[in-house]
Amino acid sequence: MNMNAYSFESLVIDILIQSKEALYGEVTKKSGDGGIDGLLYRTPLKQGEIPVQVKRYAENNLVGEEDIRDFIGAWSQKH
């Protein structure tokens, strides 16, 4: 909980890459990213783009439907 938000996003992207969810990944810029915190790619040519949104919540606060709708909306606007 003490890690700054950008470092936390980087950590999550690194973990997803190490877990073989994707070959490559990158964190988007700190602001103005449209709700997309990172992108994962399945190939070295950055094909098969997978958007990632990182949320850090308190123990008793879960990701809700509104968060999911906002993420889908952000991704839809990009594509």
Side-chain angles (χ1 to χ4, degrees):
M1 293 303 290
N2 294 329
M3 184 182 287
N4 76 53
Y6 195 73
S7 295
F8 184 67
E9 292 169 3
S10 295
L11 175 66
V12 171
I13 297 297
D14 289 345
I15 289 170
L16 290 171
I17 292 168
Q18 290 176 12
S19 70
K20 306 295 184 208
E21 292 298 320
L23 292 175
Y24 302 96
E26 62 189 0
V27 178
T28 58
K29 57 188 175 180
K30 291 184 181 182
S31 63
D33 60 14
I36 306 299
D37 297 323
L39 296 168
L40 299 175
Y41 304 100
R42 297 198 183 272
T43 72
L45 298 176
K46 295 187 175 183
Q47 296 170 320
E49 187 175 78
I50 303 166
V52 177
Q53 186 176 58
V54 178
K55 293 287 188 195
R56 178 172 42 184
Y57 282 98
E59 191 173 311
N60 60 352
N61 191 7
L62 303 175
V63 174
E65 291 178 25
E66 185 177 340
D67 298 305
I68 295 168
R69 279 193 301 270
D70 290 349
F71 176 69
I72 292 169
W75 185 244
S76 296
Q77 286 182 349
K78 183 176 179 184
H79 292 289

